[in-house]
Amino acid sequence: MALALAEAESAGAAGEVPVGAVVAAADGRVLSRAGNAPLGLCDPTAHAEILALRAAAAVTGNYRLSGCVLVVTLEPCAMCAAALIHARVDGLVYGAADPLAGAVISRGEYLDAPRANHRVWHMGGICSRQCATLLRGFFRRRRHGALGATPERDA
């Protein structure tokens, strides 16, 4: 989680929502790390989880990431939860719950859906206080104008 938090901090420093993700292989090797980048990449799918999965697939030469675990600072949304299933990731470890868009336990249980063709074990609440504090600080600064203008704020 320390690596994911470092990625989240980097994303936040770049003006992105501070979420970071790491993909680890079954032997513990870090295959990839990424922070949120939808603004910088002008890509609504550039969530930290998606970017980390893409990079891990490139490293392994296979879009199936069996045996891998994704570690992320925030509970994944529906898009990212679906990507975990499609990539056949074995497990998910996440920090803070996301009561607005979380699709693991908060707003839906995508990874446990009976019709899903793959099961991803999941464990939340790891370093949750640290992850939530990072997010709260970012949004507090954004509300008070300490961060620069962003496209979604200017729309």
Side-chain angles (χ1 to χ4, degrees):
M1 186 61 78
L3 294 175
L5 276 162
E7 290 296 325
E9 289 170 2
S10 293
E16 303 280 358
V17 174
V19 177
V22 173
V23 176
D27 63 5
R29 282 179 305 121
V30 172
L31 297 176
S32 63
R33 342 168 15 156
N36 261 2
L39 298 174
L41 296 176
C42 294
D43 179 356
T45 69
H47 290 194
E49 301 95 322
I50 300 296
L51 296 174
L53 290 172
R54 287 177 182 159
V59 166
T60 62
N62 191 342
Y63 78 99
R64 302 279 192 196
L65 298 171
S66 300
C68 293
V69 173
L70 179 95
V71 179
V72 65
T73 57
L74 182 65
E75 177 184 359
C77 68
M79 173 183 70
C80 294
L84 291 170
I85 292 168
H86 288 295
R88 304 297 193 271
V89 169
D90 278 12
L92 165 70
V93 175
Y94 65 91
D98 184 354
L100 297 175
V104 177
I105 60 164
S106 296
R107 301 292 291 174
E109 296 180 352
Y110 283 58
L111 300 181
D112 295 322
R115 293 189 180 186
N117 62 343
H118 175 72
R119 294 284 182 268
V120 178
W121 63 260
H122 50 89
M123 173 188 322
I126 308 305
C127 299
S128 63
R129 197 172 276 162
Q130 223 176 331
C131 296
T133 298
L134 186 61
L135 286 158
R136 274 195 301 273
F138 173 83
F139 286 112
R140 186 177 307 114
R141 288 188 306 279
R142 189 155 95 176
R143 277 192 304 276
H144 297 301
L147 299 174
T150 61
E152 69 269 8
R153 289 181 61 203
D154 294 338

